Amino acid sequence: MSQTVLESLNQAFHRMMQADERVHLLGEDLLDPYGGAFKVSRGLSTAFEDRVWTTPISEAGFVGVAIGMAMGGLLPVVEIMFGDFVLLAADQLINHGAKYPWMYNEKIEVPLVVRLPMGGRRGYGPTHSQTLEKHFLGAPGLAIVAANPFVDPGRLLELATLHDRRPVLFVENKKMYAQRLRLIEGGRCGGMAARTTGGAYPTVSLSFGGFELADVTLVAYGGMAELAVEAAERLLIEDERYCEVVIPSSIQPLEMDAIAQSVARSGRLVVSEEAPGAGGVGAEIISALPAAAFAALQAQPRRVCALNLPIANSPALETATLPGVDDLLEAMRQVLPPSKSTSAAG
Protein backbone atom coordinates (compact mmCIF):
# COMPACT_ATOMS: atom_id res chain seq x y z
CA MET A 1 0.00 0.00 0.00
CA SER A 2 1.38 3.42 -0.93
CA GLN A 3 2.27 6.15 1.54
CA THR A 4 -0.14 8.89 2.50
CA VAL A 5 0.72 12.49 1.67
CA LEU A 6 1.34 13.11 5.37
CA GLU A 7 3.72 10.15 5.64
CA SER A 8 5.59 11.27 2.55
CA LEU A 9 6.13 14.76 3.97
CA ASN A 10 7.12 13.51 7.43
CA GLN A 11 9.65 11.01 6.08
CA ALA A 12 11.10 13.66 3.77
CA PHE A 13 11.71 15.86 6.80
CA HIS A 14 13.54 13.05 8.58
CA ARG A 15 15.71 12.41 5.50
CA MET A 16 16.52 16.09 5.02
CA MET A 17 17.43 16.76 8.62
CA GLN A 18 19.54 13.60 8.76
CA ALA A 19 21.35 14.51 5.54
CA ASP A 20 21.97 18.24 6.04
CA GLU A 21 22.59 19.95 9.38
CA ARG A 22 21.66 23.30 7.85
CA VAL A 23 17.97 22.30 7.80
CA HIS A 24 16.04 23.79 10.73
CA LEU A 25 12.30 23.74 11.42
CA LEU A 26 10.43 26.62 13.07
CA GLY A 27 6.78 26.98 14.05
CA GLU A 28 4.15 26.71 16.74
CA ASP A 29 3.53 23.58 18.81
CA LEU A 30 6.06 21.46 16.93
CA LEU A 31 7.52 19.59 19.88
CA ASP A 32 6.68 15.95 20.54
CA PRO A 33 4.41 14.37 21.52
CA TYR A 34 2.11 16.91 19.81
CA GLY A 35 4.28 17.17 16.69
CA GLY A 36 2.45 20.04 14.98
CA ALA A 37 -1.24 20.60 14.29
CA PHE A 38 -1.38 18.07 11.43
CA LYS A 39 1.49 15.79 12.60
CA VAL A 40 3.73 16.41 9.60
CA SER A 41 6.45 17.37 12.13
CA ARG A 42 5.92 14.40 14.43
CA GLY A 43 9.14 12.85 15.73
CA LEU A 44 11.43 15.60 14.50
CA SER A 45 11.97 17.35 17.83
CA THR A 46 12.90 14.00 19.39
CA ALA A 47 15.36 13.08 16.66
CA PHE A 48 16.77 16.59 16.06
CA GLU A 49 16.08 18.45 19.27
CA ASP A 50 18.61 21.25 18.62
CA ARG A 51 17.14 22.08 15.17
CA VAL A 52 13.39 22.17 15.86
CA TRP A 53 12.37 25.57 17.22
CA THR A 54 8.94 25.92 18.78
CA THR A 55 7.91 29.55 18.63
CA PRO A 56 5.51 32.02 20.24
CA ILE A 57 2.31 32.92 18.38
CA SER A 58 4.03 35.51 16.19
CA GLU A 59 4.11 34.59 12.50
CA ALA A 60 5.77 37.86 11.48
CA GLY A 61 8.43 37.34 14.12
CA PHE A 62 9.45 33.77 13.38
CA VAL A 63 9.23 34.17 9.59
CA GLY A 64 11.55 37.15 10.00
CA VAL A 65 13.93 35.04 12.08
CA ALA A 66 13.86 32.35 9.39
CA ILE A 67 14.69 34.90 6.68
CA GLY A 68 17.72 35.92 8.71
CA MET A 69 18.74 32.28 9.16
CA ALA A 70 18.49 31.73 5.39
CA MET A 71 20.61 34.81 4.69
CA GLY A 72 23.16 33.43 7.15
CA GLY A 73 23.59 30.17 5.26
CA LEU A 74 21.02 27.87 6.90
CA LEU A 75 18.07 26.13 5.24
CA PRO A 76 15.08 26.97 7.42
CA VAL A 77 11.60 25.53 6.93
CA VAL A 78 8.73 27.37 8.60
CA GLU A 79 5.48 25.63 9.46
CA ILE A 80 2.53 28.02 9.58
CA MET A 81 0.03 26.14 11.75
CA PHE A 82 -2.90 27.06 9.49
CA GLY A 83 -2.11 28.63 6.12
CA ASP A 84 -4.65 31.36 6.88
CA PHE A 85 -2.10 32.89 9.27
CA VAL A 86 0.46 33.52 6.50
CA LEU A 87 -1.10 36.95 5.99
CA LEU A 88 0.41 37.93 9.35
CA ALA A 89 3.84 37.34 7.81
CA ALA A 90 3.07 38.91 4.41
CA ASP A 91 5.28 41.94 5.03
CA GLN A 92 8.27 39.76 5.94
CA LEU A 93 7.77 37.62 2.84
CA ILE A 94 6.91 40.27 0.23
CA ASN A 95 8.91 43.26 1.42
CA HIS A 96 11.92 41.46 2.85
CA GLY A 97 12.58 37.80 1.95
CA ALA A 98 11.51 38.09 -1.67
CA LYS A 99 13.29 41.42 -2.30
CA TYR A 100 16.64 41.04 -0.57
CA PRO A 101 18.40 39.29 -3.48
CA TRP A 102 17.47 42.21 -5.78
CA MET A 103 18.21 44.88 -3.14
CA TYR A 104 21.71 43.47 -2.59
CA ASN A 105 22.52 42.82 -6.27
CA GLU A 106 22.21 39.04 -5.96
CA LYS A 107 25.01 38.91 -3.39
CA ILE A 108 22.73 37.18 -0.92
CA GLU A 109 20.16 34.40 -1.22
CA VAL A 110 17.09 33.59 0.84
CA PRO A 111 16.59 29.79 0.56
CA LEU A 112 13.51 29.62 2.74
CA VAL A 113 10.51 27.28 2.64
CA VAL A 114 7.23 28.28 4.29
CA ARG A 115 4.80 25.38 4.57
CA LEU A 116 1.13 26.35 4.36
CA PRO A 117 -1.64 23.89 5.29
CA MET A 118 -4.49 25.42 3.27
CA GLY A 119 -8.03 24.62 2.31
CA GLY A 120 -11.40 23.64 3.73
CA ARG A 121 -13.72 20.62 3.88
CA ARG A 122 -12.63 19.81 7.45
CA GLY A 123 -15.04 22.04 9.38
CA TYR A 124 -12.56 24.59 10.72
CA GLY A 125 -14.71 27.61 9.86
CA PRO A 126 -14.07 30.97 8.21
CA THR A 127 -10.58 31.79 9.57
CA HIS A 128 -8.95 28.33 9.38
CA SER A 129 -10.20 26.93 6.05
CA GLN A 130 -9.14 29.39 3.37
CA THR A 131 -7.00 29.00 0.27
CA LEU A 132 -4.95 32.17 0.23
CA GLU A 133 -1.91 31.56 -1.97
CA LYS A 134 -3.41 33.67 -4.76
CA HIS A 135 -2.68 36.78 -2.69
CA PHE A 136 1.05 36.14 -3.23
CA LEU A 137 0.91 35.56 -7.00
CA GLY A 138 1.98 39.11 -7.79
CA ALA A 139 4.96 39.25 -5.42
CA PRO A 140 8.17 39.17 -7.47
CA GLY A 141 10.76 36.79 -6.08
CA LEU A 142 8.36 34.41 -4.34
CA ALA A 143 7.87 30.91 -5.72
CA ILE A 144 4.65 29.00 -4.96
CA VAL A 145 4.55 25.20 -5.11
CA ALA A 146 1.34 23.21 -4.52
CA ALA A 147 1.63 19.55 -3.55
CA ASN A 148 -0.72 16.90 -4.95
CA PRO A 149 -0.95 13.09 -4.63
CA PHE A 150 0.25 12.47 -8.19
CA VAL A 151 3.76 13.82 -7.59
CA ASP A 152 5.59 12.67 -4.44
CA PRO A 153 5.02 15.63 -2.06
CA GLY A 154 8.00 14.65 0.09
CA ARG A 155 10.26 14.79 -2.96
CA LEU A 156 8.89 18.22 -3.84
CA LEU A 157 9.57 19.42 -0.29
CA GLU A 158 13.13 18.09 -0.40
CA LEU A 159 13.81 19.87 -3.69
CA ALA A 160 12.36 23.13 -2.39
CA THR A 161 14.36 22.94 0.84
CA LEU A 162 17.71 21.62 -0.32
CA HIS A 163 18.03 22.96 -3.86
CA ASP A 164 15.77 25.99 -4.45
CA ARG A 165 17.56 29.24 -3.62
CA ARG A 166 14.38 31.32 -3.61
CA PRO A 167 11.78 31.80 -0.86
CA VAL A 168 9.15 29.13 -1.58
CA LEU A 169 5.57 29.00 -0.32
CA PHE A 170 4.81 25.28 -0.13
CA VAL A 171 1.03 24.74 -0.21
CA GLU A 172 -0.38 21.58 1.38
CA ASN A 173 -4.15 21.13 1.15
CA LYS A 174 -5.27 19.83 4.55
CA LYS A 175 -7.83 17.43 3.09
CA MET A 176 -5.01 15.80 1.15
CA TYR A 177 -2.91 14.67 4.14
CA ALA A 178 -4.76 11.36 4.53
CA GLN A 179 -4.85 10.57 0.81
CA ARG A 180 -2.55 7.89 -0.54
CA LEU A 181 -0.06 8.74 -3.23
CA ARG A 182 -1.07 7.89 -6.80
CA LEU A 183 2.32 8.06 -8.48
CA ILE A 184 2.91 7.54 -12.18
CA GLU A 185 4.67 4.37 -13.29
CA GLY A 186 5.36 3.40 -16.89
CA GLY A 187 3.16 6.15 -18.29
CA ARG A 188 0.15 5.00 -16.28
CA CYS A 189 -1.58 6.10 -13.10
CA GLY A 190 -4.08 3.38 -12.25
CA GLY A 191 -6.51 3.25 -15.16
CA MET A 192 -5.30 6.53 -16.65
CA ALA A 193 -2.65 7.39 -19.22
CA ALA A 194 -0.19 9.78 -17.60
CA ARG A 195 2.52 12.22 -18.59
CA THR A 196 4.81 14.46 -16.57
CA THR A 197 6.93 17.40 -17.57
CA GLY A 198 10.53 17.67 -16.49
CA GLY A 199 11.93 20.10 -13.98
CA ALA A 200 11.89 20.24 -10.21
CA TYR A 201 8.15 20.88 -9.93
CA PRO A 202 6.51 18.84 -12.71
CA THR A 203 3.09 19.21 -14.25
CA VAL A 204 1.08 15.99 -14.55
CA SER A 205 -1.40 15.26 -17.34
CA LEU A 206 -3.92 12.44 -16.91
CA SER A 207 -6.49 10.93 -19.27
CA PHE A 208 -8.84 7.95 -19.06
CA GLY A 209 -8.51 7.65 -22.84
CA GLY A 210 -5.57 8.56 -25.03
CA PHE A 211 -4.49 12.19 -24.94
CA GLU A 212 -5.34 12.55 -28.61
CA LEU A 213 -9.00 11.92 -27.70
CA ALA A 214 -9.33 14.89 -25.35
CA ASP A 215 -12.64 16.75 -25.69
CA VAL A 216 -11.87 19.22 -22.89
CA THR A 217 -8.91 20.27 -20.73
CA LEU A 218 -9.50 20.58 -16.98
CA VAL A 219 -6.74 22.32 -15.00
CA ALA A 220 -6.64 21.73 -11.25
CA TYR A 221 -3.96 22.02 -8.58
CA GLY A 222 -3.47 21.03 -4.95
CA GLY A 223 -6.64 19.83 -3.26
CA MET A 224 -8.70 20.17 -6.44
CA ALA A 225 -6.63 17.56 -8.28
CA GLU A 226 -8.41 14.48 -6.92
CA LEU A 227 -11.81 16.11 -7.51
CA ALA A 228 -10.83 16.84 -11.11
CA VAL A 229 -9.92 13.21 -11.72
CA GLU A 230 -13.27 12.11 -10.27
CA ALA A 231 -15.08 14.59 -12.53
CA ALA A 232 -13.15 13.34 -15.57
CA GLU A 233 -14.18 9.75 -14.81
CA ARG A 234 -17.82 10.76 -14.44
CA LEU A 235 -17.71 12.70 -17.72
CA LEU A 236 -16.51 9.57 -19.49
CA ILE A 237 -19.07 7.28 -17.85
CA GLU A 238 -22.08 9.59 -18.05
CA ASP A 239 -21.39 11.53 -21.28
CA GLU A 240 -18.86 9.36 -23.14
CA ARG A 241 -16.56 12.39 -23.36
CA TYR A 242 -12.82 12.47 -22.67
CA CYS A 243 -11.27 14.98 -20.33
CA GLU A 244 -7.54 15.60 -19.98
CA VAL A 245 -6.74 16.67 -16.42
CA VAL A 246 -3.65 18.89 -16.12
CA ILE A 247 -2.18 19.33 -12.64
CA PRO A 248 0.61 21.90 -12.23
CA SER A 249 2.88 21.77 -9.18
CA SER A 250 4.39 25.20 -9.77
CA ILE A 251 1.79 27.92 -9.34
CA GLN A 252 4.24 30.83 -9.38
CA PRO A 253 5.80 30.88 -11.89
CA LEU A 254 3.06 29.12 -13.84
CA GLU A 255 4.20 26.30 -16.09
CA MET A 256 2.04 26.77 -19.18
CA ASP A 257 3.49 24.32 -21.72
CA ALA A 258 1.43 21.27 -20.75
CA ILE A 259 -1.72 23.35 -20.40
CA ALA A 260 -1.25 25.00 -23.79
CA GLN A 261 -0.53 21.69 -25.52
CA SER A 262 -3.66 20.13 -24.03
CA VAL A 263 -5.85 23.08 -25.05
CA ALA A 264 -4.45 22.88 -28.57
CA ARG A 265 -5.68 19.26 -28.68
CA SER A 266 -9.06 19.68 -26.96
CA GLY A 267 -10.09 23.22 -27.98
CA ARG A 268 -11.88 23.67 -24.65
CA LEU A 269 -10.66 24.77 -21.23
CA VAL A 270 -11.98 24.68 -17.67
CA VAL A 271 -9.78 25.92 -14.81
CA SER A 272 -10.47 25.27 -11.14
CA GLU A 273 -9.30 26.38 -7.72
CA GLU A 274 -10.63 26.13 -4.16
CA ALA A 275 -10.50 29.89 -3.51
CA PRO A 276 -12.95 32.51 -4.81
CA GLY A 277 -12.06 33.24 -8.42
CA ALA A 278 -11.35 36.98 -8.45
CA GLY A 279 -7.65 37.61 -8.99
CA GLY A 280 -6.94 33.91 -8.69
CA VAL A 281 -4.86 31.18 -10.25
CA GLY A 282 -7.57 30.31 -12.79
CA ALA A 283 -7.67 33.88 -14.10
CA GLU A 284 -3.88 33.87 -14.39
CA ILE A 285 -3.92 30.62 -16.36
CA ILE A 286 -6.46 31.94 -18.86
CA SER A 287 -4.61 35.24 -19.28
CA ALA A 288 -1.27 33.44 -19.71
CA LEU A 289 -2.56 31.07 -22.41
CA PRO A 290 -0.26 31.43 -25.45
CA ALA A 291 -1.79 32.94 -28.57
CA ALA A 292 -1.75 29.69 -30.53
CA ALA A 293 -3.60 27.80 -27.79
CA PHE A 294 -6.03 30.67 -27.33
CA ALA A 295 -6.77 30.63 -31.05
CA ALA A 296 -7.58 26.93 -30.79
CA LEU A 297 -10.36 27.53 -28.26
CA GLN A 298 -13.80 26.60 -29.59
CA ALA A 299 -15.68 27.89 -26.54
CA GLN A 300 -15.17 30.53 -23.89
CA PRO A 301 -13.02 29.16 -21.01
CA ARG A 302 -14.79 28.66 -17.73
CA ARG A 303 -13.61 28.97 -14.15
CA VAL A 304 -14.78 26.77 -11.28
CA CYS A 305 -14.05 28.25 -7.88
CA ALA A 306 -15.49 28.94 -4.43
CA LEU A 307 -18.37 31.32 -3.92
CA ASN A 308 -17.29 34.83 -3.01
CA LEU A 309 -18.20 34.27 0.63
CA PRO A 310 -16.43 33.42 3.90
CA ILE A 311 -16.38 29.69 4.61
CA ALA A 312 -19.11 28.78 7.06
CA ASN A 313 -18.85 26.66 10.22
CA SER A 314 -21.87 24.64 9.12
CA PRO A 315 -20.74 21.57 7.13
CA ALA A 316 -23.66 21.94 4.73
CA LEU A 317 -22.86 25.60 4.04
CA GLU A 318 -19.14 24.89 3.72
CA THR A 319 -19.91 22.25 1.11
CA ALA A 320 -22.18 24.68 -0.73
CA THR A 321 -19.46 27.35 -0.72
CA LEU A 322 -16.55 25.29 -2.01
CA PRO A 323 -16.32 23.88 -5.56
CA GLY A 324 -17.08 20.19 -5.92
CA VAL A 325 -17.17 17.42 -8.50
CA ASP A 326 -20.65 18.37 -9.70
CA ASP A 327 -19.47 21.94 -10.36
CA LEU A 328 -16.53 20.69 -12.42
CA LEU A 329 -18.77 18.35 -14.38
CA GLU A 330 -21.29 21.10 -15.09
CA ALA A 331 -18.58 23.50 -16.29
CA MET A 332 -17.18 20.91 -18.68
CA ARG A 333 -20.66 20.24 -20.09
CA GLN A 334 -21.13 23.97 -20.65
CA VAL A 335 -18.04 24.28 -22.85
CA LEU A 336 -18.70 21.06 -24.77
CA PRO A 337 -21.12 20.81 -27.70
CA PRO A 338 -24.11 18.53 -27.13
CA SER A 339 -23.17 14.89 -27.45
CA LYS A 340 -24.85 12.67 -30.01
CA SER A 341 -26.56 10.72 -27.25
CA THR A 342 -27.81 13.96 -25.64
CA SER A 343 -29.02 15.29 -29.01
CA ALA A 344 -30.81 12.04 -29.75
CA ALA A 345 -32.53 12.21 -26.37
CA GLY A 346 -33.87 15.58 -27.22
Side-chain angles (χ1 to χ4, degrees):
M1 186 175 293
S2 63
Q3 289 180 316
T4 63
V5 169
L6 189 151
E7 290 168 344
S8 171
L9 292 169
N10 178 262
Q11 292 180 21
F13 258 123
H14 280 271
R15 288 195 301 273
M16 288 193 296
M17 298 189 78
Q18 183 68 40
D20 195 325
E21 293 186 349
R22 296 175 299 168
V23 179
H24 289 245
L25 175 62
L26 301 87
E28 299 159 3
D29 291 340
L30 299 180
L31 301 186
D32 293 328
Y34 190 66
F38 298 100
K39 313 311 173 192
V40 173
S41 305
R42 178 179 284 167
L44 295 172
S45 68
T46 300
F48 310 99
E49 60 180 347
D50 59 340
R51 288 190 281 143
V52 177
W53 304 87
T54 191
T55 68
I57 303 174
S58 176
E59 281 75 10
F62 62 77
V63 170
V65 168
I67 290 171
M69 294 168 71
M71 293 169 63
L74 300 177
L75 300 174
V77 179
V78 170
E79 176 177 308
I80 302 291
M81 181 181 283
F82 284 79
D84 311 68
F85 308 155
V86 69
L87 298 181
L88 296 164
D91 181 61
Q92 290 287 1
L93 290 166
I94 295 172
N95 279 324
H96 301 280
K99 289 179 179 171
Y100 282 158
W102 276 282
M103 291 168 67
Y104 293 98
N105 198 27
E106 308 291 346
K107 293 180 179 178
I108 64 167
E109 296 175 318
V110 185
L112 164 70
V113 173
V114 179
R115 292 184 40 244
L116 303 175
M118 290 287 193
R121 310 184 203 277
R122 292 185 54 152
Y124 291 129
T127 61
H128 292 64
S129 303
Q130 300 164 97
T131 301
L132 296 177
E133 59 269 14
K134 71 174 185 177
H135 296 290
F136 293 87
L137 286 177
L142 278 181
I144 304 176
V145 175
N148 66 75
F150 302 95
V151 178
D152 187 346
R155 180 62 178 157
L156 290 182
L157 181 63
E158 286 184 276
L159 289 167
T161 304
L162 300 179
H163 301 290
D164 203 321
R165 308 307 295 173
R166 305 167 295 178
V168 176
L169 302 184
F170 193 87
V171 181
E172 304 163 7
N173 187 280
K174 296 190 288 286
K175 186 72 173 177
M176 197 171 62
Y177 283 135
Q179 293 175 355
R180 297 207 170 272
L181 303 189
R182 301 176 66 181
L183 302 181
I184 296 167
E185 296 182 5
R188 305 290 300 177
C189 178
M192 297 177 285
R195 293 174 174 168
T196 60
T197 61
Y201 309 120
T203 295
V204 171
S205 299
L206 302 169
S207 173
F208 284 98
F211 291 103
E212 70 281 359
L213 299 175
D215 295 305
V216 57
T217 298
L218 174 57
V219 182
Y221 75 92
M224 291 298 296
E226 286 274 18
L227 301 183
V229 169
E230 185 177 343
E233 185 172 22
R234 280 186 54 189
L235 186 73
L236 177 59
I237 294 172
E238 297 175 16
D239 295 32
E240 298 180 0
R241 294 291 184 80
Y242 290 99
C243 167
E244 181 175 342
V245 179
V246 183
I247 306 167
S249 300
S250 177
I251 305 306
Q252 172 64 17
L254 273 169
E255 299 292 341
M256 290 298 300
D257 286 354
I259 297 170
Q261 291 164 13
S262 178
V263 171
R265 286 189 292 272
S266 71
R268 294 174 173 82
L269 173 64
V270 174
V271 295
S272 64
E273 59 193 305
E274 194 174 310
V281 175
E284 282 298 310
I285 291 171
I286 293 172
S287 69
L289 204 61
F294 207 92
L297 286 172
Q298 300 174 46
Q300 181 176 335
R302 294 196 61 84
R303 290 188 291 171
V304 177
C305 48
L307 300 180
N308 193 29
L309 293 169
I311 297 172
N313 288 300
S314 156
L317 291 178
E318 181 182 35
T319 299
T321 301
L322 298 177
V325 173
D326 287 343
D327 300 307
L328 296 170
L329 198 57
E330 176 61 23
M332 288 192 286
R333 287 170 173 159
Q334 288 178 353
V335 300
L336 286 165
S339 65
K340 293 179 181 177
S341 58
T342 302
S343 299

